[in-house]
Amino acid sequence: MGIENICCRTLVGTLAVLLATPPIAGANAPQTVQLGILTPPAGTAPRINGARVFGVRPGHPILWRLPVTGKRPMRLAAEGLPPGATFDSTSGVLGGAVSKRGTYPIVFTAENGEGHAKRVLKLVVGEKIALTPPMGWNSWNRFNFKVTQKDIKAAADAMVSSGLADHGWTYVNIDDFWQNNPYRFKDDPTLQGAERKPDGTINPNARFPDMKGLAGYIHAKGLKAGLYSSPGPYTCGMCTGSWGHEWQDARTWAEWGYDYVKYDHCTYGKKGFRKGMFSHKGVGAGLDGATLPYRLMGEALRAQKRDIVFSLCQYGMHNVSTWGANVGGNCWRTAGDIKDSFAKMIGNLDRQAGLWPYAGPGAWNDPDMLVVGILGIPSKGVGMTEPHPCTLTRNEQYTHISMWSILCAPLLIGCDLAKLDDFTLALLTNDEVLETNQDELGAQAALVAKGPRAQVWAKPMHDGSLVFALFNTHEETTRICIDYDSLGLEGKWLVRDLWRQKDEGIFGIRYSVEVPGHATHLVRLFPKDDARLAEGVADIRMNSVYIQFEERRPVGKPGRKAPKSYPCERCDK
Ligand code: GAL
């Protein structure tokens, strides 16, 4: 086996590097194993999963479904509900509305013939929402421009029937193409019709005859509903956008009952429109112009009487991480569209390295959606394909889910939920891995060591434990090490393998493991004897060696090129 010894050691100052030695002679082709299913099956006894904290604004409707695995029937109960909150013990849904600000610990219990589980949820009634990264599904990477209401309902059904909802998966989000599309898909009658009603209210297309009913359908399952728009007159797929109707659209979406809005950038920057828009809004170009549409929609959404997660989708332009939260954003894309190719996935990952200072409860960097399972996008280029299984290797999928989890990225599954295979389902239902994403501290991982064949990322958890991801960037199996001295750790730590949910033992000085090619080994270190961070290391991430923070431009996106017949009746006039 071509195994490399790669280990961290101290260099000048706080720099920690990974050293690589040449491969053992005789290794010709890349040699490695592909990992199989690692997640242990959920037991029959009850286990309460998901976030331990949930934010809601005063007086706004609460919708939170208790994520619990185990054999049904199960007796569910809640204690300590604040005035106004309700709990339906049959559906397991926390509802109602609480007008008084504060933090309310609610004790949930779940019981069946096999056992008993208890978990405290902190209900935080205040200004902030999305206290942990949103977890759910989005239609784009599977259904693309062909999405219908039926697909969305099927996704909601499958989120419950597959068991995903019992692990905390919540949002069912419609991406582009719920609106009409007058110019790009002229031949598709299901996309034709008036863009708006005479009073300006946006019209959904014929494939989405009942947007309000659809949100109700999703809510009835204890799940939440999302939709998509763009600040230009048209979206990236050239469907009707929100330009000039921002407040009206926000009101419509709230009235329909939507809980999540993904707001793109397309056509906002088109020269013809830009001139008109800027003079219309009375602002100049540059940062003002870049932040304007998000400020506007952020205010409009915040004014509604329901909580709406606001997701910015402008690919990281103008250093969005530094201002996304200030315009009311709960998450913001930091890169172009992801594809199921290793290079693309890693490209999006690389951009996160320096962004951890900007993430925290209510505000998340978003390296784009999860490309696992049956997808409908090409792994290169643009457009839509016939449904095909993800082309990332199994090892690469472990890296994808491990990294997106510890980055505290919004986790939005992009595949066909009705056709989940066992491997994909196991990838998406490992509660110990998901816990690194949903931890109440909300700390995004930083890249703390990097070498030619490996990267080590690390993040703190609210209980004082630390999570490390040992990512083998090479095709061959590689030994990767957490060197305590160079990373600022002292004493002994209990190392737990999160994918296998197994303790590996207590380690001092260093921990090392062989990681298959392109895979990631995810461990959580719990403090044992004399365990602590070294003097001067306030946060494991302060030791990070790799701060990358530069402005990024969008890469090729579907629908960016306007057709020749690009409508100009709404250009600068
Ligand atoms: C892209 C966006 C995709 C998808 C698409 C819809 O700009 O990055 O995630 O929303 O637009 O047209």
Side-chain angles (χ1 to χ4, degrees), residues 132-164:
T132 62
M135 284 174 69
W137 174 87
N138 171 293
S139 60
W140 184 249
N141 287 335
R142 166 60 188 90
F143 297 105
N144 211 272
F145 64 85
K146 292 193 174 160
V147 67
T148 66
Q149 176 168 291
K150 204 168 146 233
D151 301 325
I152 304 298
K153 284 188 173 175
D157 293 346
M159 193 171 274
V160 174
S161 64
S162 65
L164 282 170

PDB file of all heavy atoms in Angstrom, residues 132-164:
ATOM      1  N   THR A 132     -29.022  27.716  14.588  1.00  0.00           N
ATOM      2  CA  THR A 132     -28.131  26.678  14.057  1.00  0.00           C
ATOM      3  C   THR A 132     -28.358  26.662  12.541  1.00  0.00           C
ATOM      4  O   THR A 132     -29.402  27.125  12.070  1.00  0.00           O
ATOM      5  CB  THR A 132     -28.427  25.301  14.669  1.00  0.00           C
ATOM      6  OG1 THR A 132     -29.762  24.915  14.328  1.00  0.00           O
ATOM      7  CG2 THR A 132     -28.280  25.304  16.190  1.00  0.00           C
ATOM      8  N   PRO A 133     -27.411  26.150  11.781  1.00  0.00           N
ATOM      9  CA  PRO A 133     -27.565  26.208  10.316  1.00  0.00           C
ATOM     10  C   PRO A 133     -28.831  25.488   9.845  1.00  0.00           C
ATOM     11  O   PRO A 133     -29.150  24.405  10.350  1.00  0.00           O
ATOM     12  CB  PRO A 133     -26.306  25.490   9.804  1.00  0.00           C
ATOM     13  CG  PRO A 133     -25.323  25.586  10.927  1.00  0.00           C
ATOM     14  CD  PRO A 133     -26.120  25.568  12.186  1.00  0.00           C
ATOM     15  N   PRO A 134     -29.558  26.090   8.888  1.00  0.00           N
ATOM     16  CA  PRO A 134     -30.756  25.427   8.367  1.00  0.00           C
ATOM     17  C   PRO A 134     -30.399  24.073   7.760  1.00  0.00           C
ATOM     18  O   PRO A 134     -29.376  23.943   7.081  1.00  0.00           O
ATOM     19  CB  PRO A 134     -31.243  26.377   7.272  1.00  0.00           C
ATOM     20  CG  PRO A 134     -30.560  27.675   7.510  1.00  0.00           C
ATOM     21  CD  PRO A 134     -29.310  27.386   8.261  1.00  0.00           C
ATOM     22  N   MET A 135     -31.253  23.082   8.014  1.00  0.00           N
ATOM     23  CA  MET A 135     -31.068  21.749   7.428  1.00  0.00           C
ATOM     24  C   MET A 135     -32.310  21.405   6.622  1.00  0.00           C
ATOM     25  O   MET A 135     -33.426  21.518   7.143  1.00  0.00           O
ATOM     26  CB  MET A 135     -30.934  20.692   8.535  1.00  0.00           C
ATOM     27  CG  MET A 135     -29.594  20.672   9.237  1.00  0.00           C
ATOM     28  SD  MET A 135     -29.638  19.507  10.618  1.00  0.00           S
ATOM     29  CE  MET A 135     -29.743  17.938   9.761  1.00  0.00           C
ATOM     30  N   GLY A 136     -32.133  20.980   5.383  1.00  0.00           N
ATOM     31  CA  GLY A 136     -33.315  20.640   4.605  1.00  0.00           C
ATOM     32  C   GLY A 136     -32.959  20.164   3.208  1.00  0.00           C
ATOM     33  O   GLY A 136     -31.919  19.519   2.995  1.00  0.00           O
ATOM     34  N   TRP A 137     -33.796  20.523   2.279  1.00  0.00           N
ATOM     35  CA  TRP A 137     -33.674  20.042   0.897  1.00  0.00           C
ATOM     36  C   TRP A 137     -34.008  21.192  -0.044  1.00  0.00           C
ATOM     37  O   TRP A 137     -34.781  22.087   0.303  1.00  0.00           O
ATOM     38  CB  TRP A 137     -34.672  18.892   0.698  1.00  0.00           C
ATOM     39  CG  TRP A 137     -34.769  18.372  -0.697  1.00  0.00           C
ATOM     40  CD1 TRP A 137     -33.988  17.411  -1.258  1.00  0.00           C
ATOM     41  CD2 TRP A 137     -35.722  18.763  -1.707  1.00  0.00           C
ATOM     42  NE1 TRP A 137     -34.394  17.176  -2.557  1.00  0.00           N
ATOM     43  CE2 TRP A 137     -35.449  17.994  -2.859  1.00  0.00           C
ATOM     44  CE3 TRP A 137     -36.773  19.687  -1.758  1.00  0.00           C
ATOM     45  CZ2 TRP A 137     -36.183  18.115  -4.037  1.00  0.00           C
ATOM     46  CZ3 TRP A 137     -37.498  19.830  -2.927  1.00  0.00           C
ATOM     47  CH2 TRP A 137     -37.214  19.035  -4.051  1.00  0.00           C
ATOM     48  N   ASN A 138     -33.425  21.176  -1.227  1.00  0.00           N
ATOM     49  CA  ASN A 138     -33.711  22.191  -2.243  1.00  0.00           C
ATOM     50  C   ASN A 138     -33.834  21.490  -3.594  1.00  0.00           C
ATOM     51  O   ASN A 138     -33.123  20.536  -3.891  1.00  0.00           O
ATOM     52  CB  ASN A 138     -32.566  23.227  -2.266  1.00  0.00           C
ATOM     53  CG  ASN A 138     -32.662  24.196  -3.431  1.00  0.00           C
ATOM     54  OD1 ASN A 138     -32.513  23.823  -4.588  1.00  0.00           O
ATOM     55  ND2 ASN A 138     -32.914  25.457  -3.130  1.00  0.00           N
ATOM     56  N   SER A 139     -34.746  21.981  -4.420  1.00  0.00           N
ATOM     57  CA  SER A 139     -35.107  21.270  -5.655  1.00  0.00           C
ATOM     58  C   SER A 139     -34.086  21.373  -6.792  1.00  0.00           C
ATOM     59  O   SER A 139     -34.112  20.577  -7.728  1.00  0.00           O
ATOM     60  CB  SER A 139     -36.456  21.802  -6.157  1.00  0.00           C
ATOM     61  OG  SER A 139     -36.375  23.193  -6.426  1.00  0.00           O
ATOM     62  N   TRP A 140     -33.185  22.370  -6.754  1.00  0.00           N
ATOM     63  CA  TRP A 140     -32.416  22.724  -7.950  1.00  0.00           C
ATOM     64  C   TRP A 140     -31.560  21.587  -8.527  1.00  0.00           C
ATOM     65  O   TRP A 140     -31.597  21.317  -9.725  1.00  0.00           O
ATOM     66  CB  TRP A 140     -31.542  23.957  -7.674  1.00  0.00           C
ATOM     67  CG  TRP A 140     -30.818  24.422  -8.893  1.00  0.00           C
ATOM     68  CD1 TRP A 140     -29.481  24.366  -9.140  1.00  0.00           C
ATOM     69  CD2 TRP A 140     -31.420  24.999 -10.071  1.00  0.00           C
ATOM     70  NE1 TRP A 140     -29.200  24.875 -10.379  1.00  0.00           N
ATOM     71  CE2 TRP A 140     -30.375  25.267 -10.971  1.00  0.00           C
ATOM     72  CE3 TRP A 140     -32.722  25.320 -10.435  1.00  0.00           C
ATOM     73  CZ2 TRP A 140     -30.596  25.832 -12.222  1.00  0.00           C
ATOM     74  CZ3 TRP A 140     -32.952  25.879 -11.691  1.00  0.00           C
ATOM     75  CH2 TRP A 140     -31.890  26.128 -12.556  1.00  0.00           C
ATOM     76  N   ASN A 141     -30.758  20.966  -7.684  1.00  0.00           N
ATOM     77  CA  ASN A 141     -29.772  20.017  -8.208  1.00  0.00           C
ATOM     78  C   ASN A 141     -30.377  18.704  -8.696  1.00  0.00           C
ATOM     79  O   ASN A 141     -29.694  17.896  -9.313  1.00  0.00           O
ATOM     80  CB  ASN A 141     -28.684  19.740  -7.170  1.00  0.00           C
ATOM     81  CG  ASN A 141     -27.764  20.934  -7.031  1.00  0.00           C
ATOM     82  OD1 ASN A 141     -27.637  21.737  -7.956  1.00  0.00           O
ATOM     83  ND2 ASN A 141     -27.149  21.078  -5.881  1.00  0.00           N
ATOM     84  N   ARG A 142     -31.643  18.496  -8.449  1.00  0.00           N
ATOM     85  CA  ARG A 142     -32.295  17.317  -8.997  1.00  0.00           C
ATOM     86  C   ARG A 142     -33.318  17.702 -10.080  1.00  0.00           C
ATOM     87  O   ARG A 142     -33.341  17.147 -11.160  1.00  0.00           O
ATOM     88  CB  ARG A 142     -32.971  16.506  -7.882  1.00  0.00           C
ATOM     89  CG  ARG A 142     -33.956  15.451  -8.353  1.00  0.00           C
ATOM     90  CD  ARG A 142     -33.310  14.394  -9.259  1.00  0.00           C
ATOM     91  NE  ARG A 142     -34.310  13.510  -9.836  1.00  0.00           N
ATOM     92  CZ  ARG A 142     -34.930  13.718 -10.996  1.00  0.00           C
ATOM     93  NH1 ARG A 142     -34.654  14.813 -11.717  1.00  0.00           N
ATOM     94  NH2 ARG A 142     -35.832  12.875 -11.446  1.00  0.00           N
ATOM     95  N   PHE A 143     -34.187  18.685  -9.782  1.00  0.00           N
ATOM     96  CA  PHE A 143     -35.304  18.956 -10.690  1.00  0.00           C
ATOM     97  C   PHE A 143     -35.094  20.178 -11.575  1.00  0.00           C
ATOM     98  O   PHE A 143     -35.818  20.360 -12.559  1.00  0.00           O
ATOM     99  CB  PHE A 143     -36.614  19.059  -9.909  1.00  0.00           C
ATOM    100  CG  PHE A 143     -36.965  17.771  -9.223  1.00  0.00           C
ATOM    101  CD1 PHE A 143     -36.819  17.611  -7.860  1.00  0.00           C
ATOM    102  CD2 PHE A 143     -37.396  16.687  -9.978  1.00  0.00           C
ATOM    103  CE1 PHE A 143     -37.116  16.410  -7.247  1.00  0.00           C
ATOM    104  CE2 PHE A 143     -37.697  15.473  -9.371  1.00  0.00           C
ATOM    105  CZ  PHE A 143     -37.558  15.334  -7.998  1.00  0.00           C
ATOM    106  N   ASN A 144     -34.147  21.037 -11.177  1.00  0.00           N
ATOM    107  CA  ASN A 144     -33.721  22.127 -12.041  1.00  0.00           C
ATOM    108  C   ASN A 144     -34.911  22.894 -12.620  1.00  0.00           C
ATOM    109  O   ASN A 144     -35.842  23.225 -11.884  1.00  0.00           O
ATOM    110  CB  ASN A 144     -32.840  21.510 -13.131  1.00  0.00           C
ATOM    111  CG  ASN A 144     -31.762  22.425 -13.631  1.00  0.00           C
ATOM    112  OD1 ASN A 144     -32.000  23.176 -14.552  1.00  0.00           O
ATOM    113  ND2 ASN A 144     -30.590  22.393 -13.031  1.00  0.00           N
ATOM    114  N   PHE A 145     -34.915  23.154 -13.956  1.00  0.00           N
ATOM    115  CA  PHE A 145     -35.985  23.986 -14.524  1.00  0.00           C
ATOM    116  C   PHE A 145     -37.271  23.201 -14.782  1.00  0.00           C
ATOM    117  O   PHE A 145     -38.240  23.737 -15.306  1.00  0.00           O
ATOM    118  CB  PHE A 145     -35.512  24.679 -15.810  1.00  0.00           C
ATOM    119  CG  PHE A 145     -35.184  23.740 -16.945  1.00  0.00           C
ATOM    120  CD1 PHE A 145     -36.183  23.295 -17.797  1.00  0.00           C
ATOM    121  CD2 PHE A 145     -33.882  23.311 -17.151  1.00  0.00           C
ATOM    122  CE1 PHE A 145     -35.887  22.433 -18.845  1.00  0.00           C
ATOM    123  CE2 PHE A 145     -33.576  22.447 -18.186  1.00  0.00           C
ATOM    124  CZ  PHE A 145     -34.580  21.996 -19.044  1.00  0.00           C
ATOM    125  N   LYS A 146     -37.276  21.905 -14.401  1.00  0.00           N
ATOM    126  CA  LYS A 146     -38.478  21.106 -14.651  1.00  0.00           C
ATOM    127  C   LYS A 146     -39.327  20.910 -13.400  1.00  0.00           C
ATOM    128  O   LYS A 146     -40.275  20.129 -13.412  1.00  0.00           O
ATOM    129  CB  LYS A 146     -38.064  19.744 -15.202  1.00  0.00           C
ATOM    130  CG  LYS A 146     -37.467  19.835 -16.584  1.00  0.00           C
ATOM    131  CD  LYS A 146     -37.371  18.489 -17.227  1.00  0.00           C
ATOM    132  CE  LYS A 146     -36.915  18.640 -18.664  1.00  0.00           C
ATOM    133  NZ  LYS A 146     -36.363  17.410 -19.184  1.00  0.00           N
ATOM    134  N   VAL A 147     -38.960  21.564 -12.318  1.00  0.00           N
ATOM    135  CA  VAL A 147     -39.621  21.282 -11.029  1.00  0.00           C
ATOM    136  C   VAL A 147     -41.137  21.542 -11.080  1.00  0.00           C
ATOM    137  O   VAL A 147     -41.600  22.466 -11.759  1.00  0.00           O
ATOM    138  CB  VAL A 147     -38.948  22.113  -9.909  1.00  0.00           C
ATOM    139  CG1 VAL A 147     -39.184  23.602 -10.081  1.00  0.00           C
ATOM    140  CG2 VAL A 147     -39.391  21.637  -8.532  1.00  0.00           C
ATOM    141  N   THR A 148     -41.883  20.709 -10.374  1.00  0.00           N
ATOM    142  CA  THR A 148     -43.333  20.872 -10.275  1.00  0.00           C
ATOM    143  C   THR A 148     -43.749  20.770  -8.802  1.00  0.00           C
ATOM    144  O   THR A 148     -42.978  20.278  -7.963  1.00  0.00           O
ATOM    145  CB  THR A 148     -44.092  19.755 -11.024  1.00  0.00           C
ATOM    146  OG1 THR A 148     -43.827  18.519 -10.352  1.00  0.00           O
ATOM    147  CG2 THR A 148     -43.667  19.642 -12.475  1.00  0.00           C
ATOM    148  N   GLN A 149     -44.973  21.159  -8.557  1.00  0.00           N
ATOM    149  CA  GLN A 149     -45.525  21.063  -7.193  1.00  0.00           C
ATOM    150  C   GLN A 149     -45.496  19.611  -6.689  1.00  0.00           C
ATOM    151  O   GLN A 149     -45.267  19.349  -5.519  1.00  0.00           O
ATOM    152  CB  GLN A 149     -46.954  21.598  -7.226  1.00  0.00           C
ATOM    153  CG  GLN A 149     -47.691  21.474  -5.920  1.00  0.00           C
ATOM    154  CD  GLN A 149     -48.977  22.273  -5.929  1.00  0.00           C
ATOM    155  OE1 GLN A 149     -48.945  23.483  -5.932  1.00  0.00           O
ATOM    156  NE2 GLN A 149     -50.098  21.582  -5.939  1.00  0.00           N
ATOM    157  N   LYS A 150     -45.717  18.690  -7.635  1.00  0.00           N
ATOM    158  CA  LYS A 150     -45.718  17.270  -7.275  1.00  0.00           C
ATOM    159  C   LYS A 150     -44.341  16.838  -6.725  1.00  0.00           C
ATOM    160  O   LYS A 150     -44.255  16.086  -5.750  1.00  0.00           O
ATOM    161  CB  LYS A 150     -46.054  16.459  -8.542  1.00  0.00           C
ATOM    162  CG  LYS A 150     -46.641  15.123  -8.280  1.00  0.00           C
ATOM    163  CD  LYS A 150     -47.218  14.536  -9.579  1.00  0.00           C
ATOM    164  CE  LYS A 150     -47.018  13.037  -9.542  1.00  0.00           C
ATOM    165  NZ  LYS A 150     -46.346  12.509 -10.712  1.00  0.00           N
ATOM    166  N   ASP A 151     -43.283  17.329  -7.354  1.00  0.00           N
ATOM    167  CA  ASP A 151     -41.930  16.988  -6.887  1.00  0.00           C
ATOM    168  C   ASP A 151     -41.706  17.501  -5.465  1.00  0.00           C
ATOM    169  O   ASP A 151     -41.049  16.850  -4.651  1.00  0.00           O
ATOM    170  CB  ASP A 151     -40.860  17.622  -7.794  1.00  0.00           C
ATOM    171  CG  ASP A 151     -40.984  17.172  -9.238  1.00  0.00           C
ATOM    172  OD1 ASP A 151     -41.351  16.003  -9.464  1.00  0.00           O
ATOM    173  OD2 ASP A 151     -40.739  18.001 -10.142  1.00  0.00           O
ATOM    174  N   ILE A 152     -42.230  18.687  -5.205  1.00  0.00           N
ATOM    175  CA  ILE A 152     -42.019  19.295  -3.885  1.00  0.00           C
ATOM    176  C   ILE A 152     -42.782  18.496  -2.821  1.00  0.00           C
ATOM    177  O   ILE A 152     -42.251  18.208  -1.742  1.00  0.00           O
ATOM    178  CB  ILE A 152     -42.487  20.775  -3.877  1.00  0.00           C
ATOM    179  CG1 ILE A 152     -41.764  21.570  -4.976  1.00  0.00           C
ATOM    180  CG2 ILE A 152     -42.313  21.414  -2.509  1.00  0.00           C
ATOM    181  CD1 ILE A 152     -40.264  21.657  -4.834  1.00  0.00           C
ATOM    182  N   LYS A 153     -44.013  18.127  -3.151  1.00  0.00           N
ATOM    183  CA  LYS A 153     -44.789  17.329  -2.194  1.00  0.00           C
ATOM    184  C   LYS A 153     -44.105  15.982  -1.955  1.00  0.00           C
ATOM    185  O   LYS A 153     -44.031  15.493  -0.826  1.00  0.00           O
ATOM    186  CB  LYS A 153     -46.210  17.100  -2.717  1.00  0.00           C
ATOM    187  CG  LYS A 153     -47.088  18.324  -2.582  1.00  0.00           C
ATOM    188  CD  LYS A 153     -48.523  17.977  -2.927  1.00  0.00           C
ATOM    189  CE  LYS A 153     -49.446  19.151  -2.632  1.00  0.00           C
ATOM    190  NZ  LYS A 153     -50.821  18.907  -3.044  1.00  0.00           N
ATOM    191  N   ALA A 154     -43.594  15.385  -3.033  1.00  0.00           N
ATOM    192  CA  ALA A 154     -42.919  14.085  -2.893  1.00  0.00           C
ATOM    193  C   ALA A 154     -41.679  14.222  -2.001  1.00  0.00           C
ATOM    194  O   ALA A 154     -41.372  13.325  -1.209  1.00  0.00           O
ATOM    195  CB  ALA A 154     -42.533  13.546  -4.266  1.00  0.00           C
ATOM    196  N   ALA A 155     -40.982  15.355  -2.136  1.00  0.00           N
ATOM    197  CA  ALA A 155     -39.790  15.564  -1.298  1.00  0.00           C
ATOM    198  C   ALA A 155     -40.197  15.681   0.177  1.00  0.00           C
ATOM    199  O   ALA A 155     -39.544  15.114   1.063  1.00  0.00           O
ATOM    200  CB  ALA A 155     -39.042  16.811  -1.745  1.00  0.00           C
ATOM    201  N   ALA A 156     -41.291  16.411   0.427  1.00  0.00           N
ATOM    202  CA  ALA A 156     -41.762  16.554   1.817  1.00  0.00           C
ATOM    203  C   ALA A 156     -42.184  15.192   2.371  1.00  0.00           C
ATOM    204  O   ALA A 156     -41.844  14.833   3.505  1.00  0.00           O
ATOM    205  CB  ALA A 156     -42.919  17.547   1.871  1.00  0.00           C
ATOM    206  N   ASP A 157     -42.913  14.431   1.551  1.00  0.00           N
ATOM    207  CA  ASP A 157     -43.330  13.092   1.990  1.00  0.00           C
ATOM    208  C   ASP A 157     -42.104  12.251   2.343  1.00  0.00           C
ATOM    209  O   ASP A 157     -42.045  11.607   3.391  1.00  0.00           O
ATOM    210  CB  ASP A 157     -44.083  12.355   0.859  1.00  0.00           C
ATOM    211  CG  ASP A 157     -45.421  13.009   0.539  1.00  0.00           C
ATOM    212  OD1 ASP A 157     -45.884  13.851   1.340  1.00  0.00           O
ATOM    213  OD2 ASP A 157     -46.002  12.684  -0.528  1.00  0.00           O
ATOM    214  N   ALA A 158     -41.114  12.288   1.436  1.00  0.00           N
ATOM    215  CA  ALA A 158     -39.929  11.432   1.625  1.00  0.00           C
ATOM    216  C   ALA A 158     -39.078  11.898   2.796  1.00  0.00           C
ATOM    217  O   ALA A 158     -38.417  11.077   3.441  1.00  0.00           O
ATOM    218  CB  ALA A 158     -39.097  11.405   0.348  1.00  0.00           C
ATOM    219  N   MET A 159     -39.095  13.186   3.071  1.00  0.00           N
ATOM    220  CA  MET A 159     -38.304  13.659   4.208  1.00  0.00           C
ATOM    221  C   MET A 159     -38.801  13.011   5.499  1.00  0.00           C
ATOM    222  O   MET A 159     -38.027  12.698   6.401  1.00  0.00           O
ATOM    223  CB  MET A 159     -38.369  15.182   4.304  1.00  0.00           C
ATOM    224  CG  MET A 159     -37.326  15.714   5.270  1.00  0.00           C
ATOM    225  SD  MET A 159     -37.208  17.479   5.217  1.00  0.00           S
ATOM    226  CE  MET A 159     -36.061  17.713   3.893  1.00  0.00           C
ATOM    227  N   VAL A 160     -40.090  12.790   5.548  1.00  0.00           N
ATOM    228  CA  VAL A 160     -40.648  12.123   6.740  1.00  0.00           C
ATOM    229  C   VAL A 160     -40.502  10.606   6.612  1.00  0.00           C
ATOM    230  O   VAL A 160     -39.965   9.943   7.506  1.00  0.00           O
ATOM    231  CB  VAL A 160     -42.124  12.527   6.940  1.00  0.00           C
ATOM    232  CG1 VAL A 160     -42.740  11.738   8.086  1.00  0.00           C
ATOM    233  CG2 VAL A 160     -42.220  14.024   7.219  1.00  0.00           C
ATOM    234  N   SER A 161     -40.929  10.021   5.471  1.00  0.00           N
ATOM    235  CA  SER A 161     -40.964   8.551   5.379  1.00  0.00           C
ATOM    236  C   SER A 161     -39.563   7.935   5.387  1.00  0.00           C
ATOM    237  O   SER A 161     -39.373   6.823   5.873  1.00  0.00           O
ATOM    238  CB  SER A 161     -41.734   8.113   4.136  1.00  0.00           C
ATOM    239  OG  SER A 161     -41.051   8.553   2.989  1.00  0.00           O
ATOM    240  N   SER A 162     -38.554   8.651   4.888  1.00  0.00           N
ATOM    241  CA  SER A 162     -37.192   8.100   4.896  1.00  0.00           C
ATOM    242  C   SER A 162     -36.583   8.150   6.291  1.00  0.00           C
ATOM    243  O   SER A 162     -35.545   7.553   6.540  1.00  0.00           O
ATOM    244  CB  SER A 162     -36.296   8.925   3.965  1.00  0.00           C
ATOM    245  OG  SER A 162     -36.180  10.248   4.474  1.00  0.00           O
ATOM    246  N   GLY A 163     -37.204   8.936   7.177  1.00  0.00           N
ATOM    247  CA  GLY A 163     -36.651   9.095   8.517  1.00  0.00           C
ATOM    248  C   GLY A 163     -35.754  10.321   8.639  1.00  0.00           C
ATOM    249  O   GLY A 163     -35.306  10.663   9.733  1.00  0.00           O
ATOM    250  N   LEU A 164     -35.485  11.033   7.530  1.00  0.00           N
ATOM    251  CA  LEU A 164     -34.593  12.202   7.604  1.00  0.00           C
ATOM    252  C   LEU A 164     -35.075  13.219   8.643  1.00  0.00           C
ATOM    253  O   LEU A 164     -34.283  13.778   9.401  1.00  0.00           O
ATOM    254  CB  LEU A 164     -34.503  12.883   6.232  1.00  0.00           C
ATOM    255  CG  LEU A 164     -33.609  12.222   5.182  1.00  0.00           C
ATOM    256  CD1 LEU A 164     -33.821  12.869   3.817  1.00  0.00           C
ATOM    257  CD2 LEU A 164     -32.139  12.298   5.587  1.00  0.00           C
TER     258      LEU A 164
END
